Amino acid sequence: MPYDENLAGRIRAILQGTPGLREKKMFGGLAFLVNGHIAASAYRDGRLMITCAADDTAAFLAEPGAAPMVRGGRPMQGWVLIEAAAVADDAALARWVGRGLAHSAAQPAEN
C-alpha cells in the first residue's frame, strides 16, 4: 500500500465539499489539491504532509510530531511532514489539514 488509506479517508471527510478539490497520487502518497495546489497528502504509516507559507514553516516545525519535508537531502520551506501519532485525533488532523487548506486556497487557481 503506497499510502495510508484510512488517513486518506479521514482527510477526504474533512475536505468534503471544498470547491476545486481533487485527488492525485504523487510523491509516494495521495495528495489532496485545491485549485491545483497541494493542501495535504496522506503518506504510508499514517504520516500527513501539508503545505504552508514559507514564513509559517518554522512555527509549524516547532510543534510536536512535525518535521521538515526533505527532498534531495534538503529541507523544503513550506512543506511539513507530521507523524501519525500527532494526527491520530480527529481534531488534530482537522487542524493540520485546515492549515494546508488555508494556504492552498489562498493561491491563484492553476489551469
Side-chain angles (χ1 to χ4, degrees):
M1 173 172 42
Y3 61 88
D4 185 307
E5 291 182 23
N6 180 56
L7 178 60
R10 292 173 62 213
I11 296 168
R12 193 176 290 117
I14 292 166
L15 295 175
Q16 181 178 358
T18 301
L21 179 67
R22 72 181 175 99
E23 299 178 17
K24 183 177 183 180
K25 291 180 183 178
M26 57 192 317
F27 303 123
L30 181 65
F32 293 82
L33 297 92
V34 175
N35 297 327
H37 301 279
I38 299 172
S41 186
Y43 279 84
R44 64 181 84 67
D45 303 327
R47 293 178 296 156
L48 171 75
M49 189 278 300
I50 67 160
T51 58
C52 62
D55 291 346
D56 291 334
T57 305
F60 290 174
L61 291 176
E63 295 194 28
M69 186 71 177
V70 177
R71 290 280 183 226
R74 295 181 181 197
M76 299 174 60
Q77 289 294 315
W79 299 68
V80 179
L81 190 61
I82 301 100
E83 291 299 321
V87 292
D89 174 82
D90 288 340
L93 177 63
R95 184 172 60 86
W96 279 110
V97 170
R99 290 171 164 176
L101 174 61
H103 175 70
S104 63
Q107 305 306 308
E110 289 189 355
N111 295 330

